[in-house]
Coordinates of all heavy atoms in Angstrom, one line a residue:
A1 N 0.9 -1.2 0.0 CA 0.0 0.1 0.0 C 1.0 1.2 0.0 O 0.5 2.3 -0.7 CB -0.9 0.0 1.2
M2 N 1.9 1.2 0.8 CA 2.8 2.4 0.8 C 3.5 2.6 -0.6 O 3.7 3.8 -1.0 CB 4.0 2.2 1.8 CG 3.5 2.2 3.3 SD 5.0 1.9 4.4 CE 6.1 3.2 4.0
A3 N 3.9 1.5 -1.3 CA 4.4 1.7 -2.5 C 3.4 2.1 -3.6 O 3.9 2.9 -4.6 CB 5.0 0.4 -3.0
L4 N 2.2 1.8 -3.4 CA 1.3 2.1 -4.5 C 0.5 3.4 -4.3 O -0.3 3.9 -5.1 CB 0.2 1.0 -4.6 CG 0.7 -0.4 -5.0 CD1 -0.4 -1.4 -5.0 CD2 1.2 -0.4 -6.3
V5 N 0.7 4.1 -3.2 CA -0.1 5.2 -2.8 C 0.0 6.4 -3.8 O -0.9 7.1 -4.0 CB 0.1 5.8 -1.4 CG1 1.7 6.4 -1.3 CG2 -0.8 6.7 -1.0
C6 N 1.1 6.5 -4.6 CA 1.2 7.6 -5.7 C 1.0 7.0 -7.1 O 1.4 7.7 -8.0 CB 2.7 8.1 -5.5 SG 3.0 9.0 -4.0
H7 N 0.5 5.9 -7.2 CA 0.3 5.2 -8.3 C 1.5 5.3 -9.3 O 1.3 5.9 -10.3 CB -1.0 5.9 -9.1 CG -2.3 5.7 -8.4 ND1 -3.4 6.3 -8.8 CD2 -2.5 5.1 -7.3 CE1 -4.4 6.0 -7.9 NE2 -4.0 5.3 -7.0
P8 N 2.5 4.5 -9.0 CA 3.8 4.5 -9.6 C 3.6 3.9 -11.2 O 2.8 3.1 -11.3 CB 4.7 3.8 -8.8 CG 3.9 2.7 -8.0 CD 2.6 3.6 -7.8
A9 N 4.6 4.3 -11.9 CA 4.6 3.8 -13.3 C 5.5 2.3 -13.1 O 5.2 1.4 -14.0 CB 5.3 4.7 -14.2
V10 N 6.3 2.2 -12.2 CA 7.2 1.0 -12.0 C 7.1 0.7 -10.5 O 7.3 1.5 -9.7 CB 8.6 1.1 -12.4 CG1 9.4 0.0 -12.2 CG2 8.6 1.5 -14.0
L11 N 6.8 -0.6 -10.3 CA 6.9 -1.1 -8.9 C 8.0 -2.2 -8.9 O 8.0 -3.1 -9.6 CB 5.6 -1.8 -8.5 CG 5.5 -2.4 -7.0 CD1 5.8 -1.3 -5.9 CD2 4.4 -3.2 -6.8
I12 N 9.0 -2.1 -8.0 CA 10.0 -3.0 -7.8 C 9.6 -3.7 -6.5 O 9.7 -3.2 -5.5 CB 11.4 -2.3 -7.6 CG1 11.8 -1.5 -8.8 CG2 12.5 -3.5 -7.4 CD1 13.1 -0.7 -8.7
A13 N 9.5 -5.1 -6.8 CA 9.1 -5.9 -5.6 C 10.3 -6.9 -5.3 O 10.5 -7.8 -6.1 CB 7.9 -6.7 -5.8
D14 N 10.9 -6.7 -4.1 CA 12.2 -7.5 -3.9 C 11.8 -8.6 -2.9 O 11.6 -8.4 -1.7 CB 13.3 -6.7 -3.2 CG 14.6 -7.4 -3.1 OD1 14.7 -8.6 -3.5 OD2 15.5 -6.8 -2.5
E15 N 11.7 -9.8 -3.4 CA 11.4 -11.1 -2.7 C 10.1 -10.7 -1.8 O 10.1 -10.9 -0.6 CB 12.5 -11.4 -1.7 CG 13.8 -11.7 -2.4 CD 13.8 -13.1 -3.0 OE1 12.8 -13.8 -3.0 OE2 15.0 -13.6 -3.5
P16 N 9.0 -10.4 -2.4 CA 7.8 -9.9 -1.7 C 7.0 -11.1 -0.9 O 6.3 -10.8 0.0 CB 6.8 -9.4 -2.7 CG 7.2 -10.1 -4.0 CD 8.7 -10.3 -3.9
T17 N 7.5 -12.3 -1.1 CA 6.8 -13.4 -0.4 C 7.8 -14.2 0.5 O 7.4 -15.1 1.0 CB 6.1 -14.4 -1.5 OG1 7.2 -14.9 -2.3 CG2 5.2 -13.7 -2.3
T18 N 9.0 -13.7 0.7 CA 9.8 -14.5 1.5 C 9.5 -14.3 2.9 O 8.9 -13.5 3.4 CB 11.3 -13.7 1.5 OG1 11.8 -13.8 0.2 CG2 12.2 -14.4 2.4
A19 N 9.6 -15.5 3.6 CA 9.1 -15.7 5.0 C 7.8 -15.7 5.4 O 7.2 -15.7 6.4 CB 9.9 -14.6 5.9
L20 N 6.9 -15.8 4.3 CA 5.5 -15.9 4.4 C 5.1 -17.5 4.0 O 5.7 -18.0 3.2 CB 4.8 -15.1 3.4 CG 5.0 -13.5 3.6 CD1 4.2 -12.7 2.4 CD2 4.6 -13.0 5.0
D21 N 4.1 -17.9 4.7 CA 3.7 -19.2 4.5 C 3.0 -19.3 3.0 O 2.6 -18.3 2.5 CB 2.7 -19.8 5.5 CG 1.4 -19.2 5.5 OD1 0.6 -19.0 4.6 OD2 1.1 -18.5 6.6
V22 N 2.8 -20.5 2.5 CA 2.4 -20.7 1.2 C 1.1 -20.1 0.8 O 1.0 -19.4 -0.1 CB 2.4 -22.2 0.8 CG1 1.8 -22.5 -0.5 CG2 3.7 -22.9 1.0
T23 N 0.2 -20.2 1.6 CA -1.2 -19.6 1.4 C -1.0 -18.1 1.3 O -1.6 -17.4 0.4 CB -2.3 -20.0 2.4 OG1 -1.8 -19.7 3.8 CG2 -2.5 -21.5 2.3
I24 N -0.4 -17.5 2.3 CA -0.2 -16.0 2.3 C 0.6 -15.5 1.0 O 0.5 -14.4 0.4 CB 0.4 -15.5 3.5 CG1 -0.3 -15.9 4.8 CG2 0.8 -14.1 3.5 CD1 -1.7 -15.4 4.7
Q25 N 1.8 -16.3 0.6 CA 2.4 -16.0 -0.6 C 1.5 -16.0 -1.8 O 1.6 -15.0 -2.6 CB 3.4 -17.1 -0.9 CG 4.6 -17.2 0.0 CD 5.8 -18.3 -0.3 OE1 5.7 -18.7 -1.4 NE2 6.6 -18.6 0.5
A26 N 0.7 -16.9 -1.8 CA -0.3 -16.9 -3.0 C -1.2 -15.7 -3.0 O -1.5 -15.1 -4.0 CB -1.2 -18.1 -3.1
Q27 N -1.6 -15.3 -1.8 CA -2.6 -14.0 -1.8 C -1.7 -12.7 -2.2 O -2.4 -11.9 -2.8 CB -3.0 -13.9 -0.3 CG -4.1 -14.9 0.2 CD -4.3 -15.0 1.6 OE1 -4.0 -13.9 2.3 NE2 -5.1 -16.0 2.2
I28 N -0.5 -12.7 -1.7 CA 0.4 -11.4 -2.0 C 0.7 -11.4 -3.5 O 0.4 -10.3 -4.2 CB 1.7 -11.6 -1.2 CG1 1.4 -11.4 0.2 CG2 2.5 -10.5 -1.8 CD1 0.9 -10.1 0.6
L29 N 0.9 -12.5 -4.2 CA 1.0 -12.5 -5.6 C -0.2 -12.3 -6.4 O -0.1 -11.5 -7.3 CB 1.6 -13.9 -6.1 CG 3.1 -14.3 -5.5 CD1 3.4 -15.7 -5.9 CD2 4.0 -13.3 -6.3
E30 N -1.3 -12.8 -5.9 CA -2.5 -12.4 -6.4 C -2.9 -11.0 -6.4 O -3.4 -10.3 -7.3 CB -3.7 -13.3 -5.9 CG -5.1 -13.2 -6.6 CD -6.1 -13.9 -5.9 OE1 -5.8 -14.9 -5.2 OE2 -7.2 -13.7 -6.1
L31 N -2.6 -10.4 -5.2 CA -2.8 -8.9 -5.0 C -1.9 -8.1 -5.8 O -2.4 -7.1 -6.5 CB -2.4 -8.6 -3.5 CG -2.1 -7.2 -3.1 CD1 -3.5 -6.5 -3.3 CD2 -1.8 -7.1 -1.6
L32 N -0.6 -8.4 -6.0 CA 0.2 -7.7 -7.0 C -0.3 -7.7 -8.4 O -0.3 -6.7 -9.0 CB 1.7 -8.3 -7.0 CG 2.5 -8.0 -5.7 CD1 3.8 -8.7 -5.6 CD2 2.7 -6.4 -5.5
A33 N -0.7 -8.9 -8.8 CA -1.3 -8.9 -10.2 C -2.5 -8.2 -10.3 O -2.7 -7.5 -11.4 CB -1.6 -10.5 -10.5
R34 N -3.3 -8.2 -9.3 CA -4.6 -7.4 -9.4 C -4.4 -5.9 -9.4 O -5.1 -5.2 -10.3 CB -5.5 -7.7 -8.2 CG -6.9 -6.9 -8.2 CD -7.9 -7.6 -7.2 NE -7.3 -7.6 -5.9 CZ -7.3 -6.6 -5.0 NH1 -7.7 -5.3 -5.5 NH2 -6.7 -6.6 -3.8
V35 N -3.6 -5.5 -8.4 CA -3.4 -3.9 -8.5 C -2.5 -3.6 -9.7 O -2.7 -2.4 -10.2 CB -2.7 -3.5 -7.1 CG1 -3.6 -3.8 -6.1 CG2 -1.3 -4.2 -7.1
Q36 N -1.7 -4.4 -10.3 CA -1.0 -4.1 -11.4 C -1.9 -3.9 -12.6 O -1.8 -3.0 -13.4 CB 0.0 -5.2 -11.9 CG 0.8 -4.9 -13.1 CD 1.6 -6.1 -13.5 OE1 1.4 -7.2 -13.2 NE2 2.7 -5.7 -14.4
R37 N -3.0 -4.8 -12.8 CA -4.0 -4.6 -13.7 C -4.9 -3.3 -13.6 O -5.1 -2.6 -14.6 CB -5.0 -5.7 -13.8 CG -4.4 -7.1 -14.3 CD -5.5 -8.2 -14.6 NE -6.2 -8.5 -13.4 CZ -6.0 -9.4 -12.5 NH1 -4.8 -10.1 -12.6 NH2 -6.6 -9.6 -11.3
E38 N -5.2 -3.1 -12.3 CA -5.9 -1.9 -12.1 C -5.2 -0.5 -12.3 O -5.8 0.4 -12.8 CB -6.5 -2.0 -10.5 CG -7.5 -3.0 -10.4 CD -7.9 -3.0 -8.9 OE1 -7.7 -2.2 -8.1 OE2 -8.6 -4.1 -8.5
L39 N -4.0 -0.5 -11.9 CA -3.2 0.7 -12.1 C -2.4 0.8 -13.4 O -1.8 1.9 -13.7 CB -2.3 0.9 -10.9 CG -2.8 0.9 -9.4 CD1 -1.8 1.0 -8.4 CD2 -3.9 2.0 -9.4
G40 N -2.2 -0.4 -14.1 CA -1.4 -0.3 -15.3 C 0.0 -0.1 -15.2 O 0.6 0.3 -16.1
M41 N 0.6 -0.6 -14.0 CA 2.0 -0.3 -13.8 C 2.7 -1.4 -14.4 O 2.3 -2.5 -14.5 CB 2.3 0.0 -12.4 CG 2.0 -1.3 -11.6 SD 2.2 -1.0 -9.8 CE 1.8 -2.5 -9.2
A42 N 4.0 -1.2 -14.5 CA 5.1 -2.3 -14.8 C 5.6 -2.8 -13.5 O 5.8 -2.0 -12.5 CB 6.2 -1.7 -15.6
L43 N 5.9 -4.1 -13.5 CA 6.3 -4.8 -12.2 C 7.6 -5.4 -12.4 O 7.7 -6.3 -13.4 CB 5.3 -5.8 -11.7 CG 5.6 -6.6 -10.5 CD1 5.8 -5.8 -9.3 CD2 4.5 -7.6 -10.2
L44 N 8.6 -5.1 -11.6 CA 9.8 -5.8 -11.6 C 9.9 -6.7 -10.3 O 10.0 -6.2 -9.3 CB 11.1 -4.8 -11.6 CG 12.5 -5.4 -11.9 CD1 12.6 -5.8 -13.2 CD2 13.6 -4.2 -11.5
L45 N 9.7 -8.0 -10.7 CA 9.6 -9.0 -9.5 C 10.9 -9.8 -9.3 O 11.3 -10.6 -10.3 CB 8.4 -10.0 -10.0 CG 8.1 -11.1 -8.9 CD1 7.6 -10.4 -7.6 CD2 6.9 -12.0 -9.6
I46 N 11.5 -9.5 -8.2 CA 12.9 -10.0 -8.0 C 12.6 -11.3 -6.9 O 12.1 -11.1 -5.8 CB 13.8 -9.1 -7.3 CG1 14.0 -7.8 -8.2 CG2 15.2 -9.6 -6.8 CD1 14.6 -6.6 -7.7
T47 N 13.2 -12.5 -7.2 CA 12.8 -13.6 -6.4 C 13.9 -14.7 -6.7 O 14.6 -14.7 -7.7 CB 11.6 -14.1 -6.7 OG1 11.3 -15.4 -5.9 CG2 11.3 -14.6 -8.2
H48 N 14.1 -15.6 -5.8 CA 14.9 -16.8 -6.1 C 14.0 -18.0 -6.4 O 14.6 -19.0 -6.7 CB 15.8 -17.2 -4.8 CG 14.9 -17.4 -3.7 ND1 14.3 -16.5 -2.8 CD2 14.4 -18.7 -3.1 CE1 13.6 -17.2 -1.7 NE2 13.7 -18.4 -2.1

């Protein structure tokens, strides 16, 4: 929410699901995909 408050053109997500359990990971990824569609931003998703 802090990152999206200004409706950025680019969002950099650095390991956004690290240390979260599997069900919460899925919710966070679904959330990122949904707000990306709504705001039309580009997403740089950094992960291992």
